[in-house]
């Protein structure tokens, strides 16, 4: 079953990551391509070629390039078959050497067939390179034109005459709209014209008004009403999901309103561009309103997203709404009639009203909108730059630092935007203000989405402690940041074609040390390695829990076998993954050779510990549960890994010992071969004691201990005579050296009890205390000094007698 499942999984993976092999791709028409490429190169090199024409040529070249890329896989199965046949003949003879005539003839024939099959591939590779270079040339030309347009200087909006031109152009604009609308009404607003469309118009209009008024008021209070009926751990996630209706419902009203107005038929070329710009303006207004309420709420439903006071929240929310209103006005004006509006000018889909708006009026309009937006952003930046994270919430520190830094940048950006616009660089001022406003909005959205992901995990785990701060929410939040990179690029002027080109480059991958790494190869490697790793872990678990416990191997041997299976399985999984990804092992050998130098210098300690760990697991001089002394530490071995060994001391402290120390330094293993060990117990008795009697008593006491072995038998030795005591020594082998302290303690207890009963004296030290002035006056008056102590007891106090 497992084998069949893996076969199906690998088949699906191969179908997803590689082109279909059921049919060979059709070969491109290289003659036609040559004519197209030659003409495209001429037009791309000419500065007189229109931008729209360059974009059309580019789209055609990109299509050709995709065909050439597909053609690079032609004859794949036949080429692989011939290469295997050539490999079966053995290596080609060295220069000057000869091989059998029939083998040489067969090799030459196969090589000829291989060359013929590879010829279409080589042609496709060459054509692909030419198309790719041509696309890059066109992109470079378009980029230069866009940059030139952005830095083009116009007349200054501070010139008073431009304000008179703006007033005149405004009159023309209003007059043209009124005249065209009146004409359309006269032509299409008759009863015969309106009667068929009237039900649709009224239905759309009434529904739109309800959604934009009552519906919007209802949906704004919906999250708080729903949160009151949900549990504490699901309140935040449910409220956030429901709050998205604050965007969806008004946008539905906008679309219905547009449909109602369009159904009247009275909107012509002077008014239709305004109508078509309303959806974008609605997204700006309602999306910003939702974002401001989520980031700067009057009262948080479950928790505060940002550490801000109530006054700062209210001001930030108002400023965000105001910026959105100005941005929406700029969006509608730039889409409908206003030139020099920044990045919007790069859009080829603009269909503005039939009015050639004067440059002097355009700079004034843009200047007013930029000044309003810059002033509002400046104040919003002042609030954001004061953000400080909570002292007890370390996880939120990053977002506060990012938003505070963004707020700090907002002020100089706003000032620069106004300055360059006043100098006549209107497009540049627009590029500074509006993308930065969108950047701030996207940063706020990322903060909210990261909180929402954490709230979802908290809901799934039913409020379990630490669910919001787990690894999975963190990784998903990081993935969201990576996915937002293309959006940031679009905000700052990257086109869809440029993003598509970046994606093509990404799919092609990079070459490192002769190894081609592409997303498909990396994904194949990860999936195959994950499957191999999972199988390895399953085999390890089966061996550890089912097979090895039934063998005669001890715990250390079983651990060594399981670890060895893990290393072998990981190596095999890595090799299979590398081969499946199409990476040549010979190319990796070069990379490995280069890395070996760095490993030799920088990772030598890690490698040494790793090799030592393998030696420990194979030779097993120590095992789990052994009592060892190494590196000044003594304790029980708890775990042996490939880098270090964990030892638990008798004080219950965990000590990590590098494996290289266990190999290169002396190690005492008290329990490796056997748990038995010898204990030595010294005893001193006072002068005058019967030494034979003492020997007999000690012998009886030690032989009565249950852990003392019979073979070898314990012994009692009279070890010496000192000025303090008569010294004896008990030597005995016990079956469990780990109980040596307990046996020693019990023997001392019984010795004291027997010596008291038998009248055998124990040595002790006496002292006389002399005070100042109490020294004797003559030798006759001096007291006889005490008898020298027979033995010293370290546990007695210094003034004990």
């Amino acid at each position: 079953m497992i084998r069949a499942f893996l076969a199906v999984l690998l088949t699906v993976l191969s179908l997803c990551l590689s082109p279909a092999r059921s049919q060979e791709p059709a070969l491109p028409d290289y003659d036609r391509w040559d004519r197209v490429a030659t003409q495209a190169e001429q037009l791309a090199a000419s500065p007189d070629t229109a931008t729209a024409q360059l974009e059309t040529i580019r789209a055609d070249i990109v299509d050709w390039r995709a065909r050439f890329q597909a053609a690079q896989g032609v004859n794949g199965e036949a080429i692989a078959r011939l290469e295997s046949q050539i490999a079966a003949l053995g290596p080609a003879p060295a220069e000057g050497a000869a091989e059998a005539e029939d083998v040489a003839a067969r090799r030459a024939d196969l090589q000829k067939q291989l060359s013929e099959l590879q010829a279409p591939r080589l042609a496709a590779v060459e054509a692909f390179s030419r198309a790719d270079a041509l696309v890059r040339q066109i992109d470079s030309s378009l980029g230069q034109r866009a940059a030139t347009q952005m830095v083009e200087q116009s007349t200054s909006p501070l010139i008073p005459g431009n304000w008179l031109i703006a007033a005149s152009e405004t009159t023309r604009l209003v007059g043209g709209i009124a005249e065209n609308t009146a004409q359309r009404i006269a032509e299409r607003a008759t009863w015969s014209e309106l009667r068929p469309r009237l039900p649709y118009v009224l239905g759309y209009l009434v529904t739109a008004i309800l959604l934009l008024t009552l519906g919007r008021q209802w949906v704004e209070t919906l999250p708080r009403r729903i949160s009151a009926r949900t549990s504490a751990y699901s309140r935040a996630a449910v409220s956030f999901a429901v709050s998205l209706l604050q965007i969806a419902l008004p946008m539905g009203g906008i679309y219905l309103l547009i449909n109602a107005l369009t159904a009247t038929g009275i909107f012509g070329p002077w008014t239709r561009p305004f109508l078509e710009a309303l959806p974008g303006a609605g997204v700006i207004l309602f999306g910003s309103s939702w974002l401001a309420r989520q980031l700067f709420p009057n009262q948080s439903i479950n928790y505060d997203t940002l550490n801000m006071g109530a006054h700062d929240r209210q001001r930030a929310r108002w400023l965000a709404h105001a910026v959105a209103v100005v941005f929406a006005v700029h969006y509608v004006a730039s889409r409908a009639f206003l030139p020099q509006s920044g990045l919007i000018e790069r859009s080829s889909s603009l269909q503005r009203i039939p009015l050639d708006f004067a440059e002097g009026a355009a700079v004034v309009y843009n200047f007013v909108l930029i000044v309003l937006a810059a002033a509002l952003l400046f104040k919003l930046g002042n609030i954001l730059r004061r953000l400080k994270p909570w002292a007890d919430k370390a996880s939120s520190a990053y977002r506060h630092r990012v938003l505070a830094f963004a707020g700090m940048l907002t002020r100089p950006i706003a000032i620069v935007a106004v300055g360059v616009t006043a100098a006549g660089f209107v497009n540049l001022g627009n590029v500074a203000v509006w993308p930065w406003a969108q950047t701030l909005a996207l940063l706020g959205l990322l903060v909210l989405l990261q909180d929402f992901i954490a709230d979802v995990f908290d809901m799934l785990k039913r409020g379990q402690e630490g669910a919001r701060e787990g690894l999975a929410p963190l990784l998903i939040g990081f993935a969201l940041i990576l996915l937002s990179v293309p959006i940031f690029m679009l905000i700052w002027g990257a086109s869809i074609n440029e993003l598509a080109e970046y994606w093509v480059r990404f799919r092609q991958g990079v070459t490192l040390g002769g190894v081609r790494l592409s997303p498909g190869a990396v994904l194949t490697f990860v999936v195959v390695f994950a499957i191999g790793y999972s199988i390895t872990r399953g085999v390890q678990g089966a061996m550890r829990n089912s097979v090895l416990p039934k063998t005669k191997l001890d715990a250390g041997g079983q651990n060594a076998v399981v670890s060895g299976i893990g290393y072998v399985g990981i190596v095999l999984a890595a090799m299979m993954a590398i081969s499946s990804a199409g990476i040549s092992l010979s190319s990796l050998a070069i990379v490995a050779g280069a890395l070996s130098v760095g490993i030799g210098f920088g990772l030598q300690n890690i490698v040494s510990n790793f090799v030592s760990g393998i030696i420990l697991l194979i030779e097993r001089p120590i095992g789990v549960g052994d009592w060892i002394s190494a590196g000044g530490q003594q304790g029980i071995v708890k775990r042996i890994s490939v880098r270090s060994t964990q030892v638990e001391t008798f004080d219950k402290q965990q000590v990590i010992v590098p494996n290289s120390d266990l190999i290169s330094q002396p190690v005492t293993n008290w329990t490796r071969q056997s748990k038995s060990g010898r204990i030595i117990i010294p005893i001193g008795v006072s002068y005058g004691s019967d030494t034979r009697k003492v020997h007999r008593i000690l012998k009886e006491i030690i032989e009565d201990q249950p852990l003392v072995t019979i073979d070898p038998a314990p012994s009692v030795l009279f070890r010496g005579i000192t000025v303090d005591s008569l010294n004896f020594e008990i030597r005995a082998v016990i079956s469990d050296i780990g109980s040596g302290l307990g046996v020693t303690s019990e023997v001392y207890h019984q010795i004291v009890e027997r010596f008291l009963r038998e009248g055998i004296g124990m040595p002790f030290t006496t002292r006389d205390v002399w005070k100042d002035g109490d020294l004797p006056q003559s030798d006759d008056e001096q007291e006889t000094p005490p008898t020298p102590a027979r033995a010293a007891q370290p546990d007695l106090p210094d003034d004990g007698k």
Side-chain angles (χ1 to χ4, degrees):
M1 179 66 71
I2 296 177
R3 189 174 298 176
F5 171 75
L6 292 177
V8 172
L9 183 60
L10 289 175
T11 302
V12 173
L13 181 65
S14 63
L15 291 176
C16 294
L17 298 179
S18 61
R21 296 185 178 180
S22 58
Q23 57 182 3
E24 295 288 349
L27 293 178
D29 186 352
Y30 290 102
D31 293 334
R32 181 166 172 263
W33 157 247
D34 186 65
R35 294 191 298 270
V36 171
T38 302
Q39 182 183 9
E41 289 168 350
Q42 294 173 355
L43 292 174
S46 175
D48 298 329
T49 306
T51 300
Q53 187 177 5
L54 276 181
E55 292 177 348
T56 303
I57 294 172
R58 184 191 183 280
D60 190 26
I61 301 300
V62 167
D63 182 61
W64 278 100
R65 186 178 61 178
R67 298 183 210 171
F68 298 142
Q69 186 174 16
Q72 292 178 18
V74 71
N75 299 330
E77 295 181 357
I79 290 174
R81 183 176 64 252
L82 285 174
E83 287 177 344
S84 63
Q85 288 178 299
I86 294 173
L89 296 178
E95 186 177 356
E99 62 180 346
E101 293 183 1
D102 55 344
V103 176
R106 181 58 177 166
R107 186 188 302 277
D109 182 53
L110 292 176
Q111 286 288 359
K112 180 181 178 181
Q113 296 180 39
L114 182 62
S115 300
E116 293 175 353
L117 290 175
Q118 288 178 337
R121 282 191 170 190
L122 297 177
V125 171
E126 180 185 359
F128 178 87
S129 300
R130 185 180 182 184
D132 191 61
L134 190 52
V135 169
R136 296 191 183 192
Q137 180 183 355
I138 296 174
D139 285 341
S140 177
S141 177
L142 291 174
Q144 291 176 1
R145 293 186 181 190
T148 302
Q149 184 182 12
M150 288 299 104
V151 298
E152 185 180 13
Q153 187 176 14
S154 304
T155 180
S156 173
L158 301 181
I159 299 176
N162 288 331
W163 291 80
L164 296 177
I165 297 174
S168 174
E169 291 296 289
T170 303
T171 303
R172 287 180 58 200
L173 174 65
V174 174
I177 294 175
E179 182 180 353
N180 181 255
T181 303
Q183 181 182 357
R184 300 280 295 190
I185 291 175
E187 293 176 354
R188 299 175 178 269
T190 61
W191 177 250
S192 59
E193 291 283 344
L194 286 177
R195 184 172 58 184
R197 300 192 297 266
L198 191 59
Y200 299 101
V201 172
L202 292 178
Y204 287 144
L205 190 60
V206 171
T207 308
I209 293 174
L210 290 176
L211 290 178
L212 291 172
T213 55
L214 299 178
R216 188 180 176 194
Q217 295 176 2
W218 174 78
V219 78
E220 285 180 359
T221 60
L222 184 61
R224 189 167 299 279
R225 287 186 281 109
I226 289 183
S227 65
R229 303 180 182 180
T230 56
S231 57
Y233 55 80
S234 62
R235 182 176 301 134
V238 172
S239 300
F240 181 88
V242 172
S243 69
L244 294 176
L245 292 174
Q246 297 172 1
I247 302 175
L249 210 60
M251 284 305 301
I254 289 289
Y255 278 105
L256 291 174
L257 178 62
I258 293 173
N259 289 333
L261 297 176
T262 304
T264 61
I266 63 175
F267 287 87
W270 281 80
T271 50
R272 189 178 298 111
F274 290 94
L275 205 61
E276 292 175 351
L278 285 181
V283 171
I284 294 172
L285 283 174
F286 302 130
S288 299
S289 177
W290 170 83
L291 190 64
R293 279 195 294 269
Q294 296 297 315
L295 285 174
F296 318 115
N298 284 323
Q299 183 179 359
S300 301
I301 293 178
N302 203 28
Y303 58 84
D304 292 331
T305 302
L306 299 175
N307 184 19
M308 300 176 66
H311 179 66
D312 283 345
R313 286 186 187 178
Q314 184 178 2
R315 290 189 61 218
R317 186 171 57 254
W318 182 87
L319 289 170
H321 285 306
V323 171
V325 171
V326 179
F327 190 11
V329 171
H330 174 267
Y331 180 83
V332 173
S334 60
R335 302 287 295 188
F337 68 91
L338 185 62
Q340 295 184 325
S341 51
L343 297 175
I344 294 180
E345 293 294 320
R346 300 179 60 180
S347 176
S348 60
S349 60
L350 288 179
Q351 293 183 358
R352 289 172 171 165
I353 63 176
L355 173 64
D356 191 9
F357 212 67
E359 179 183 300
V363 297
V364 170
Y365 269 70
N366 281 297
F367 181 70
V368 171
L369 293 173
I370 289 174
V371 168
L372 289 175
L376 296 170
L377 287 174
F378 188 92
K379 293 182 179 180
L380 182 60
N382 272 334
I383 297 175
L384 293 178
R385 71 184 183 89
R386 295 196 298 265
L387 283 175
K388 300 291 184 183
W390 289 283
D392 56 342
K393 294 182 180 180
S395 59
S396 66
Y398 182 75
R399 69 176 56 171
H400 285 81
R401 286 196 295 267
V402 170
L403 291 178
F405 181 72
M408 189 165 36
L409 288 180
T410 301
R411 301 191 302 165
I413 289 176
I415 296 173
V416 170
V418 174
V420 297
T421 306
F425 297 96
V426 180
N427 277 319
L428 202 57
N430 280 310
V431 169
V433 168
W434 311 117
W436 184 250
Q438 296 175 72
T439 298
L440 293 177
L442 185 54
L443 289 176
L445 179 61
L446 288 175
V447 169
L448 294 178
L449 289 178
Q450 288 180 337
D451 278 346
F452 175 66
I453 292 168
D455 294 335
V456 169
F457 274 88
D458 191 35
M459 180 178 64
L460 295 177
K461 294 187 177 182
R462 296 184 174 274
Q464 180 180 346
E465 184 178 358
R468 298 188 78 258
E469 291 78 21
L471 179 61
L474 178 64
L475 293 179
I476 296 176
F478 181 72
L480 280 178
I481 295 175
L482 294 180
L483 292 175
S484 68
V485 171
I487 303 177
F488 280 111
M489 295 175 66
L490 286 173
I491 287 174
W492 287 99
S495 64
I496 299 296
N497 290 334
E498 290 173 338
L499 292 182
E501 193 63 23
Y502 293 146
W503 176 246
V504 170
R505 300 280 182 266
F506 179 70
R507 289 180 59 189
Q508 290 176 357
V510 296
T511 302
L512 298 175
V515 179
R516 189 75 175 180
L517 296 179
S518 64
V522 172
L523 181 60
T524 303
F525 176 86
V526 171
V527 172
V528 175
F529 182 79
I531 293 174
Y533 183 79
S534 302
I535 294 174
T536 301
R537 288 304 185 191
V539 172
Q540 282 184 297
M543 295 293 291
R544 182 187 296 110
N545 300 323
S546 302
V547 179
L548 292 178
K550 299 178 181 179
T551 64
K552 296 182 179 180
L553 289 175
D554 57 9
Q558 295 180 17
N559 185 33
V561 171
V562 172
S563 299
I565 292 174
Y567 300 139
V568 172
I570 291 175
V571 171
L572 292 178
M575 294 180 65
M576 292 177 59
I578 291 172
S579 300
S580 301
I583 301 174
S584 175
L585 295 177
S586 59
S587 300
L588 288 179
I590 300 175
V591 179
L595 291 177
S596 62
V597 178
I599 292 175
F601 286 100
L603 303 178
Q604 55 183 346
N605 290 333
I606 296 177
V607 174
S608 174
N609 290 326
F610 181 82
V611 175
S612 300
I614 295 177
I615 293 174
L616 290 176
L617 292 173
I618 295 176
E619 294 185 355
R620 294 189 296 145
I622 63 174
V624 177
D626 289 354
W627 174 11
I628 66 171
S629 298
Q633 301 292 335
Q634 188 173 161
I636 305 299
V637 177
K638 291 298 182 181
R639 183 173 179 269
I640 301 175
S641 64
V642 293
R643 192 194 67 83
S644 61
T645 297
Q646 181 179 337
V647 178
E648 183 180 82
T649 67
F650 297 113
D651 295 331
K652 297 300 180 182
Q653 295 177 344
Q654 303 295 325
V655 179
I656 306 300
V657 181
N659 288 333
S660 58
D661 293 348
L662 300 178
I663 295 297
S664 60
Q665 298 180 8
V667 177
T668 302
N669 194 328
W670 300 95
T671 59
R672 183 56 185 164
Q673 300 298 331
S674 174
K675 289 187 176 182
S676 61
R678 189 179 71 172
I679 59 173
I680 299 177
I681 306 175
I683 303 102
V685 297
S686 60
Y687 277 94
S689 300
D690 185 349
T691 58
R692 300 291 180 182
K693 184 177 182 181
V694 171
H695 183 277
R696 176 176 53 81
I697 293 173
L698 296 178
K699 188 79 170 179
E700 292 174 356
I701 291 174
I702 194 62
E703 288 180 348
D704 286 342
Q705 301 305 313
L707 293 179
V708 173
T709 62
I710 299 176
D711 185 16
S715 61
V716 178
L717 304 175
F718 188 6
R719 294 284 291 167
I721 302 173
T722 66
V723 295
D724 297 324
S725 62
L726 305 176
N727 296 330
F728 288 80
E729 190 175 87
I730 300 175
R731 298 189 176 189
V733 176
I734 61 176
S735 58
D736 185 3
I737 191 63
S739 303
L741 291 177
V743 173
T744 301
S745 176
E746 179 62 26
V747 168
Y748 274 128
H749 278 298
Q750 295 185 17
I751 287 174
V752 172
E753 293 172 358
R754 289 290 300 275
F755 280 8
L756 288 177
R757 288 201 304 267
E758 300 293 341
I760 297 175
M762 304 289 290
F764 60 92
T765 301
T766 60
R767 293 184 178 88
D768 288 333
V769 179
W770 300 86
K771 298 181 180 179
D772 294 342
D774 292 341
L775 293 176
Q777 300 298 322
S778 63
D779 294 340
D780 296 337
E781 296 177 355
Q782 293 181 7
E783 296 181 1
T784 302
T787 304
R790 304 297 188 219
Q793 289 290 342
D795 292 333
L796 291 176
D798 292 342
D799 56 352
K801 294 190 181 290

